[in-house]
Amino acid sequence: MKNCLECGKPLMGRVDKKFCLDMCRNSYNNRLNSDSYNIVRTMNNQLRKNRRILQDVCPEDKIKTTKSLLLGKGFDFNLITSIRPTLKGNIYHFVYDYGYLELENDIYLIVKDKRLDK
């Protein structure tokens, strides 16, 4: 006779049954996945925060702002979703549909990619 992988109680029913209750199955899987998903969850939270900051700073198509304003709001320049070079050689860093281009003297151009609006 097999026992539940989470609580150890004897299992009744199907031959391939692994858990006695849905609660045990959920607890087992949550515990199993918690460590490996912690870093992913943390990075996704910061990416969403970065996007919200860019969206708040840039309510229109584009705007210029300072690096200190972005940092003051908690923006993390190390986390982006893509990089797009232009024909002129500029490199935009994107967080989903909002991008930024570093100009001179810690000034940044924030843009919204309208191609993703559909």
Side-chain angles (χ1 to χ4, degrees):
M1 185 175 244
K2 290 175 124 183
N3 293 334
C4 176
L5 293 177
E6 180 63 16
C7 70
K9 290 182 182 175
L11 295 175
M12 304 283 241
R14 291 182 12 200
V15 177
D16 61 344
K17 193 171 182 179
K18 296 179 182 180
F19 304 99
C20 61
L21 299 169
D22 284 339
M23 185 177 74
C24 282
R25 179 179 47 83
N26 288 336
S27 295
Y28 178 85
N29 287 320
N30 286 341
R31 186 172 34 81
L32 186 68
N33 294 326
S34 68
D35 291 337
S36 63
Y37 289 121
N38 244 354
I39 190 164
V40 173
R41 184 177 23 254
T42 302
M43 291 180 90
N44 283 338
N45 287 339
Q46 184 61 49
L47 282 169
R48 282 193 298 273
K49 182 178 180 180
N50 279 357
R51 186 190 178 279
R52 273 193 310 272
I53 292 168
L54 292 175
Q55 182 180 25
D56 290 344
V57 170
C58 183
E60 302 297 323
D61 289 345
K62 59 183 168 182
I63 195 167
K64 289 182 183 176
T65 189
T66 63
K67 183 176 186 175
S68 61
L69 179 108
L70 294 172
L71 289 172
K73 290 181 175 279
F75 192 83
D76 184 351
F77 283 92
N78 294 315
L79 290 177
I80 59 172
T81 56
S82 63
I83 295 175
R84 294 189 200 160
T86 65
L87 294 175
K88 293 181 181 178
N90 296 323
I91 297 176
Y92 281 86
H93 297 82
F94 272 82
V95 180
Y96 302 111
D97 55 339
Y98 284 90
Y100 61 89
L101 172 66
E102 185 176 6
L103 303 174
E104 67 283 337
N105 300 326
D106 285 339
I107 302 294
Y108 283 81
L109 175 66
I110 312 296
V111 297
K112 182 169 186 347
D113 186 356
K114 295 291 188 181
R115 294 180 293 175
L116 299 177
D117 291 346
K118 291 195 183 190

